[in-house]
Amino acid sequence: MKLLRYFLVAVLAISLLPVSLKAEGEVYKAYDQNSSLEEEFSSYEEAERFYRENIDNYDNLILKEDDRIIRMEYGIVSFNTDSACSIITEYHSTVRGVNDYLNGCYGIDAVYNYTSDDGKRVYFAYAGDEAYASIDEVSLIPLNEVNTKISSYTIRDGKMYHDIMSQLDYDFYSYSLALDFMPEFMDENKTYYSHDGHFFYDDYSLMCDDLRNDNHDNAVNEEAYYNYYQYLSHRSLSEYSAKEVEEYFYDNLGYDKKLSHYTDFNNDGAADEVNRSQLSGEIGNFFVYQDIYGANALLLLASAVNESSYGKSFNSFISNNLYTASAYESESEKEVSRYERIEDSIYAHAKYFISSRYSNHLRSDYTGTFLGNKVAGINVNYAIDPYYGEKTAAACFELDSALSLKDYNAHALGIIKDNKRVNFYRDETLENRRFYLKDIVELSFVILDENEEAYKIQVDPSFDSEYRYDFYDSCAWVPKDEFYLIINEDKIREYDLHEYYYDFNGGRFHDYSELEINSKDERPLIIPGKDGYEFTGYDEEGVAQYKAITNVDLIRDFSRVVEKGNYLDLSEAVLKVYYDDNSFKQLPLSSDMLRYYDPDEEGIQNIKIVYNGIGIDKDAEFSEELSKIRNMITEAVENNDYVTVKANMGKIDYPFSFAEIRSLDYELKNLNQRNYVIKDRTEKYNLSISGLDLSLADKTSLSLFGDTYYVVVNKINPKDEEKIYSIAKAYGFENVEGLDLSFRFNYQNIELSGPAIVQIDIEDKKNNLVYTVYHLNDQGDVIKCKTTQSENYIQFMIRESGPYLVLSLPSANEYDIKDNTEDLSYENMGFDNHKMNFELMGIMVLTLIGIIGVTVYYIISDKRERMWKDFRRSLRTAGSVQEEKPKN
């Protein structure tokens, strides 16, 4: 019996042991950095009780569990992230009552509200929403322990910026969004905080207090601020014409071609070619689909600019899609996840996303057709980026400012907020209800008219089975007392539209063989498709005219051997179109002329090129060998195997980092012992360079004193500078410096086969400017170079000779990074052996000339002496001798 009792006691002790050990392993500590307080507790309950009882006695009381902060009074919530931005945080919106997701790479910090009593959930405010997440999904950082900047608003040069952090490892803002001109309640160069973009604070702690008290007593603005573009309904019309916007994109931004291939050595998500864009030739389509599907052209365009990096994203290149989401009409497109044409992505976004989905009040995910934030608007369900609405609004502000601000505050907006149910009526008597909405968090509508009792608004739903939108029919009246706020009340007005008829004369425009639309401008240019024909215009009755195409051909081809997994380079390819009237035209081959091909499939593939229904076939080889070379270089770079890298340089485009080039080139420099000379003919730059041993071919000659590799720095050609800057200034850049770089081996011009790093100092360099370098290549394309900057220098990556222009933009960040040292500089360059060879050759030539001269002199003198002797001899023979030598 005793044995059984001992056994039961032992079992009980073992069963209790994990609990006892856990209790011993957890240490709870309360502290305050502004005092000597530091209390430890053995249980969470004790610590939490102490926290509640003493929170008002300290500036920022903090509670920790082991090394993790679990409760504080003032601070930020930091979302977990990784370098691949693959971590998704699930949270619950207490405003909308639904679960949602976010990615901290778009905005890493939120405003801390409080921690649940059980310590398992953290409540926060973020991008307009109030929510909670598991404490394991986030980190809490007390306000006085934050070592970097935090997301905030500021006024710089008369504009309001939202500066957003996406990481807390470096003291740099990741995004700086210019949203508006300075509101009257803000001051220049002052920092403000806001968790909803409506109420702003100059003290972070006071914002936290108001958040907990559910008021805005400490905000610097009494009335809520609403960013105009962020709350402008898509059910509105831009004040611009297609022609005005086309002129800006084609003339100012210089968009003269679509992307022909894709390189992004900058790692900024945009193709390096500045003057090429998938938006080229497409601007008019934004206005066409505005008139047909009721999606504001500037908002459509700004969304494309934001989502496709001005038509330069990889997705826009490979999928012909200017947007991140897609809605394919054909099975062939759906199968390969690719639109046949860029225009199709604009059409699908306007029709299916704006008019069919986000404007449909009968859908459960309807939250309004304005951009919005994470509480209301398209942003709620369209994007995981909590600041998608702000980023697109910033793109609107940028475009509108670059044009003439015609769209800025052009419409009156009515905000309806926190309503259980709102009725929308057919007429101003408010008796004939058209539809109703319930449980409204926040909605924004364009106001068209008013009477004493109600406002006439442009409603969101399309009442057409094909989702076309009638700006005259899609209206309703709403009682005035339903509105929370009216913005731009003096801009209440109705549209004056013109009706146009189109007969596509045997052609089609998507599903239409004919079409009637209303537009505020002159007849929009709708281009129908008709296989075997090219559209030439409309006659006076609106009937489409065509001319027949006989055939097409490539007069300049693309490269037929491509690395497997890569895409065709069309930069040299030119298509020639022949017509039945014996005329022809030439145009660059673009990605939307190619039907789908699989770059991951090894071997020869048939490439079908189609222009207006007329096609030709070409073969291209997708080479596994080139892919093996890429893998070989990758492995060699990791192992610092400079010999292998050097042997394969130039065979493929490889995205070297600055550090990799410096490391590999340093080893090669010590091995090669080449002789370099920097010839700065501008006498201006303290230039240094890395990568020459890596990217310049090995050469030898019979020079007596050895060979010389030259880095030649000249002034930039004024015409080249003008061409580059004419594009750069449209993006807000200032011209800083221009130079022309070239390379020589002795007297021979040579080219790089890979990348090199150039470092130069700039007079009056400022750390609050971000610098970028543009390059003009031989094909006339302007290329954005990978650029970094340090405290005193600018570094940029080059891949060929030619003109380079250094540009600058104001920045919210201070760039005081430690300077680098490149492998070759003025201090460590060698002797000019090539010059010495020339000098020696000159000396030898002069010496030889001297020797020859002396020899000739003595030969002539000797000959004269012999002639004189012969002359005297002949005189003696004649009987008379002349005593003096003849003068000649």
Side-chain angles (χ1 to χ4, degrees):
M1 195 70 182
K2 286 184 178 180
L3 289 173
L4 179 60
R5 190 182 310 128
Y6 290 150
F7 175 74
L8 292 173
V9 170
V11 170
L12 180 62
I14 292 172
S15 66
L16 294 175
L17 185 59
V19 175
S20 175
L21 287 174
K22 184 177 180 183
E24 288 180 8
E26 291 174 345
V27 177
Y28 296 93
K29 183 171 70 172
Y31 71 95
D32 174 58
Q33 284 194 339
N34 295 329
S35 68
S36 58
L37 172 70
E38 190 167 327
E39 294 279 343
E40 289 194 1
F41 308 91
S42 59
S43 72
Y44 173 76
E45 291 74 19
E46 289 181 81
E48 201 271 337
R49 189 183 309 114
F50 177 87
Y51 182 89
R52 281 189 286 106
E53 293 173 352
N54 291 274
I55 189 171
D56 293 333
N57 300 327
Y58 297 94
D59 292 335
N60 192 4
L61 187 61
I62 299 162
L63 188 62
K64 292 182 74 172
E65 178 189 43
D66 296 328
D67 294 327
R68 181 175 69 168
I69 295 172
I70 59 174
R71 192 182 291 270
M72 59 191 177
E73 188 172 6
Y74 302 115
I76 66 171
V77 175
S78 172
F79 302 110
N80 297 335
T81 61
D82 62 7
S83 59
C85 293
S86 62
I87 298 177
I88 304 298
T89 301
E90 182 178 0
Y91 69 93
H92 181 83
S93 168
T94 58
V95 177
R96 293 180 285 121
V98 297
N99 290 337
D100 208 335
Y101 304 89
L102 61 85
N103 187 323
C105 284
Y106 295 113
I108 197 170
D109 57 321
V111 179
Y112 174 75
N113 196 351
Y114 63 93
T115 304
S116 62
D117 290 343
D118 60 6
K120 294 182 178 180
R121 295 183 301 195
V122 172
Y123 288 75
F124 58 87
Y126 184 64
D129 205 357
E130 294 179 31
Y132 64 77
S134 167
I135 196 167
D136 297 325
E137 299 279 330
V138 301
S139 299
L140 305 186
I141 307 175
L143 197 57
N144 50 3
E145 294 183 22
V146 178
N147 297 319
T148 62
K149 299 180 176 72
I150 56 179
S151 297
S152 59
Y153 294 79
T154 191
I155 302 297
R156 295 192 295 272
D157 298 324
K159 292 181 180 179
M160 181 175 72
Y161 288 83
H162 188 186
D163 300 319
I164 302 171
M165 298 292 289
S166 66
Q167 48 74 38
L168 298 175
D169 297 323
Y170 307 100
D171 198 23
F172 292 140
Y173 293 117
S174 301
Y175 306 98
S176 190
L177 309 176
L179 296 172
D180 198 353
F181 296 109
M182 180 177 69
E184 60 182 11
F185 55 82
M186 288 184 169
D187 295 321
E188 186 81 21
N189 297 322
K190 191 171 182 179
T191 300
Y192 298 90
Y193 306 98
S194 177
H195 59 78
D196 58 10
H198 299 316
F199 290 93
F200 298 84
Y201 298 81
D202 54 12
D203 186 299
Y204 200 92
S205 301
L206 293 178
M207 177 176 63
C208 296
D209 290 339
D210 278 4
L211 176 62
R212 291 167 187 146
N213 295 325
D214 194 24
N215 61 42
H216 305 101
D217 293 348
N218 294 298
V220 298
N221 54 315
E222 294 182 4
E223 184 179 86
Y225 164 84
Y226 280 78
N227 180 271
Y228 175 73
Y229 302 103
Q230 202 173 344
Y231 287 86
L232 173 65
S233 170
H234 272 80
R235 299 311 202 184
S236 59
L237 293 169
S238 172
E239 295 299 300
Y240 293 103
S241 67
K243 183 178 180 181
E244 289 174 300
V245 182
E246 283 174 339
E247 287 175 354
Y248 170 69
F249 273 85
Y250 304 152
D251 297 342
N252 294 61
L253 296 181
Y255 289 173
D256 55 358
K257 309 179 191 74
K258 282 188 167 66
L259 295 176
S260 58
H261 65 295
Y262 192 87
T263 59
D264 179 19
F265 295 122
N266 293 285
N267 299 320
D268 61 358
D272 296 329
E273 295 163 307
V274 180
N275 61 299
R276 290 180 181 260
S277 167
Q278 300 296 71
L279 291 170
S280 178
E282 304 291 345
I283 301 301
N285 289 316
F286 292 96
F287 289 84
V288 168
Y289 295 119
Q290 168 185 259
D291 293 335
I292 298 175
Y293 296 110
N296 182 290
L298 191 71
L299 291 176
L300 273 182
L301 179 56
S303 296
V305 163
N306 175 30
E307 295 181 56
S308 70
S309 297
Y310 274 86
K312 301 173 190 294
S313 68
F314 185 59
N315 185 55
S316 72
F317 174 66
I318 63 167
S319 301
N320 287 329
N321 192 355
L322 297 171
Y323 302 92
T324 51
S326 54
Y328 301 111
E329 285 193 328
S330 70
E331 286 300 318
S332 60
E333 288 183 331
K334 187 176 181 180
E335 184 180 350
V336 298
S337 299
R338 181 181 188 268
Y339 291 111
E340 285 194 356
R341 303 175 302 169
I342 293 292
E343 180 192 337
D344 295 338
S345 73
I346 308 170
Y347 158 77
H349 192 78
K351 179 177 179 179
Y352 293 110
F353 286 100
I354 301 303
S355 198
S356 166
R357 180 173 181 179
Y358 293 110
S359 298
N360 190 342
H361 65 299
L362 300 178
R363 288 181 60 105
S364 61
D365 58 357
Y366 168 74
T367 53
T369 64
F370 53 98
L371 296 169
N373 53 22
K374 288 306 289 182
V375 165
I378 290 173
N379 197 158
V380 174
N381 294 304
Y382 181 75
I384 199 170
D385 181 355
Y387 298 116
Y388 166 81
E390 273 197 354
K391 289 174 182 175
T392 304
C396 274
F397 183 50
E398 181 179 346
L399 291 172
D400 204 1
S401 299
L403 291 160
S404 58
L405 289 172
K406 277 188 177 183
D407 275 343
Y408 182 68
N409 289 329
H411 295 91
L413 306 181
I415 308 296
I416 299 176
K417 185 176 180 180
D418 300 330
N419 270 283
K420 293 295 183 183
R421 179 186 175 103
V422 176
N423 292 314
F424 296 77
Y425 297 92
R426 291 186 182 276
D427 52 49
E428 57 189 306
T429 63
L430 304 181
E431 292 178 356
N432 186 6
R433 191 182 72 193
R434 189 165 197 179
F435 65 93
Y436 71 90
L437 296 173
K438 61 180 183 178
D439 299 326
I440 295 174
V441 175
E442 195 169 56
L443 289 175
S444 177
F445 301 98
V446 172
I447 300 177
L448 303 171
D449 199 359
E450 67 174 323
N451 59 28
E452 290 185 1
E453 302 295 329
Y455 288 114
K456 182 182 180 182
I457 65 168
Q458 199 81 62
V459 298
D460 289 339
S462 164
F463 302 107
D464 180 74
S465 61
E466 293 297 320
Y467 312 114
R468 291 181 59 187
Y469 190 81
D470 188 330
F471 278 92
Y472 284 143
D473 178 62
S474 298
C475 303
W477 289 83
V478 179
K480 284 187 173 181
D481 57 10
E482 299 285 9
F483 288 87
Y484 164 71
L485 181 68
I486 305 299
I487 301 169
N488 303 326
E489 192 167 5
D490 60 328
K491 300 294 177 62
I492 294 175
R493 59 188 172 89
E494 297 204 56
Y495 293 115
D496 181 19
L497 305 179
H498 309 284
E499 187 176 286
Y500 297 103
Y501 169 75
Y502 297 84
D503 178 351
F504 299 131
N505 190 18
R508 298 194 69 81
F509 182 72
H510 295 287
D511 294 331
Y512 304 107
S513 59
E514 59 181 359
L515 189 65
E516 287 184 8
I517 64 170
N518 292 318
S519 177
K520 70 176 186 59
D521 297 318
E522 59 186 30
R523 177 185 290 274
L525 181 59
I526 297 178
I527 302 177
K530 185 176 181 180
D531 287 350
Y533 293 86
E534 183 160 316
F535 170 75
T536 58
Y538 293 97
D539 64 15
E540 293 182 357
E541 283 73 38
V543 179
Q545 305 297 304
Y546 306 90
K547 65 177 178 178
I549 301 172
T550 55
N551 68 296
V552 297
D553 197 10
L554 284 181
I555 58 170
R556 282 184 13 216
D557 213 340
F558 52 82
S559 175
R560 296 299 189 88
V561 181
V562 188
E563 178 187 354
K564 179 186 173 184
N566 215 328
Y567 291 82
L568 296 173
D569 183 350
L570 310 178
S571 56
E572 300 290 333
V574 175
L575 187 73
K576 192 170 185 178
V577 183
Y578 299 88
Y579 302 97
D580 65 349
D581 59 1
N582 294 322
S583 64
F584 64 87
K585 73 174 181 180
Q586 298 176 9
L587 63 161
L589 192 64
S590 61
S591 62
D592 55 359
M593 297 178 192
L594 305 184
R595 294 301 173 255
Y596 177 76
Y597 59 91
D598 187 355
D600 295 318
E601 180 183 330
E602 182 185 358
I604 296 176
Q605 290 188 52
N606 178 258
I607 307 299
K608 184 171 286 297
I609 301 167
V610 178
Y611 181 79
N612 286 0
I614 304 295
I616 55 173
D617 296 307
K618 299 288 182 180
D619 289 337
E621 179 185 354
F622 291 81
S623 169
E624 180 71 26
E625 290 303 315
L626 293 178
S627 298
K628 290 178 180 177
I629 291 174
R630 179 175 296 278
N631 295 333
M632 187 188 308
I633 294 176
T634 300
E635 183 178 352
V637 168
E638 291 173 354
N639 297 321
N640 208 31
D641 179 4
Y642 49 84
V643 175
T644 300
V645 175
K646 172 76 175 180
N648 291 282
M649 187 63 67
K651 294 179 180 178
I652 60 168
D653 285 332
Y654 190 86
F656 290 96
S657 70
F658 281 82
E660 289 166 349
I661 292 174
R662 291 184 181 115
S663 176
L664 292 164
D665 195 56
Y666 177 77
E667 298 295 336
L668 274 169
K669 188 172 185 292
N670 292 334
L671 175 71
N672 284 342
Q673 296 298 312
R674 284 177 172 178
N675 186 56
Y676 290 101
V677 169
I678 301 172
K679 295 183 74 68
D680 186 356
R681 292 169 176 164
T682 69
E683 299 181 353
K684 189 172 185 179
Y685 301 105
N686 184 21
L687 183 143
S688 58
I689 190 166
S690 295
L692 297 183
D693 279 275
L694 196 64
S695 297
L696 286 179
D698 295 321
K699 290 180 174 292
T700 56
S701 73
L702 300 177
S703 300
L704 182 63
F705 287 103
D707 300 307
T708 302
Y709 289 84
Y710 291 97
V711 181
V712 183
V713 186
N714 280 309
K715 292 181 180 179
I716 190 170
N717 183 294
K719 289 185 178 179
D720 293 338
E721 182 176 20
E722 181 181 358
K723 181 169 183 177
I724 299 172
Y725 187 57
S726 66
I727 294 175
K729 67 182 179 183
Y731 292 98
F733 285 107
E734 291 294 329
N735 189 347
V736 179
E737 296 284 356
L739 64 159
D740 192 289
L741 295 169
S742 60
F743 303 93
R744 287 202 338 250
F745 173 75
N746 294 339
Y747 57 86
Q748 177 187 2
N749 290 328
I750 56 174
E751 270 297 342
L752 297 168
S753 59
I757 303 168
V758 175
Q759 176 172 276
I760 58 174
D761 60 355
I762 296 295
E763 188 177 355
D764 297 327
K765 181 182 176 296
K766 295 179 175 61
N767 289 339
N768 64 342
L769 298 178
V770 59
Y771 292 88
T772 301
V773 177
Y774 281 5
H775 164 59
L776 181 63
N777 68 15
D778 290 340
Q779 287 76 43
D781 290 321
V782 176
I783 310 298
K784 182 180 180 182
C785 301
K786 188 171 185 177
T787 308
T788 62
Q789 61 196 81
S790 56
E791 187 174 2
N792 296 297
Y793 298 98
I794 294 165
Q795 305 84 28
F796 57 98
M797 193 175 290
I798 67 171
R799 293 175 180 270
E800 60 184 353
S801 301
Y804 291 83
L805 190 64
V806 182
L807 307 155
S808 69
L809 271 178
S811 174
N813 298 316
E814 291 282 339
Y815 295 90
D816 52 357
I817 305 166
K818 184 179 178 181
D819 291 330
N820 291 296
T821 302
E822 306 304 338
D823 291 343
L824 173 65
S825 65
Y826 293 96
E827 286 72 26
N828 64 7
M829 68 181 186
F831 293 105
D832 193 338
N833 291 337
H834 183 52
K835 182 179 178 182
M836 291 178 63
N837 286 323
F838 264 109
E839 290 175 347
L840 176 63
M841 187 181 298
I843 293 171
M844 292 175 63
V845 168
L846 289 174
T847 303
L848 181 60
I849 290 173
I851 292 171
I852 293 173
V854 170
T855 303
V856 170
Y857 172 78
Y858 280 107
I859 290 172
I860 293 173
S861 297
D862 180 65
K863 187 174 181 179
R864 287 180 63 197
E865 189 66 33
R866 282 187 282 107
M867 287 176 63
W868 172 241
K869 289 180 179 178
D870 291 343
F871 178 69
R872 285 173 57 85
R873 189 178 301 114
S874 63
L875 290 176
R876 290 192 192 99
T877 304
S880 62
V881 177
Q882 187 174 337
E883 295 300 327
E884 293 184 3
K885 292 182 178 180
K887 293 182 180 180
N888 293 311

